[in-house]
Amino acid sequence: MQRRLDNVAGWVLLTVAVVLHRMVAGRAARERWQRRRNVALRCAHRRGVLVPEVAARLGLSEGWVRQVLNGRKPAEPPEVEEVA
């Protein structure tokens, strides 16, 4: 009986891992979360939250936040290159 419960628990944990992986891993998932974040930023701004406050809370530049609020896709920050 214990082995059967272990097998069931293992399959449940695997299912949870797959769901989490699909939610947070990969380019498409990251882009979905960024789109949701950007929608939330626009909604907050429409309700009176100022650009400097948004930028400070997110740790982003005010210019970047303004681009998002205007509906443009801001440029991605440059990748850090590894030193050989």
Side-chain angles (χ1 to χ4, degrees):
M1 184 69 171
Q2 183 64 34
R3 180 165 171 77
R4 185 172 180 189
L5 288 176
D6 285 342
N7 286 344
V8 171
W11 281 105
V12 169
L13 290 171
L14 176 60
T15 303
V16 169
V18 168
V19 168
L20 289 173
H21 174 74
R22 289 183 180 159
M23 284 177 56
V24 298
R27 173 183 273 173
R30 187 173 60 247
E31 289 174 359
R32 280 193 306 268
W33 283 109
Q34 288 175 349
R35 280 195 305 267
R36 291 176 187 143
R37 178 204 56 204
N38 294 345
V39 167
L41 289 176
R42 289 184 196 104
C43 290
H45 182 67
R46 275 188 237 121
R47 286 168 176 75
V49 180
L50 301 175
V51 171
E53 293 176 53
V54 173
R57 290 289 302 266
L58 291 174
L60 301 169
S61 70
E62 290 183 24
W64 188 96
V65 172
R66 283 190 183 94
Q67 283 184 349
V68 170
L69 293 175
N70 290 327
R72 293 191 300 262
K73 185 175 180 179
E76 293 295 323
E79 296 293 327
V80 177
E81 295 181 19
E82 288 187 31
V83 178

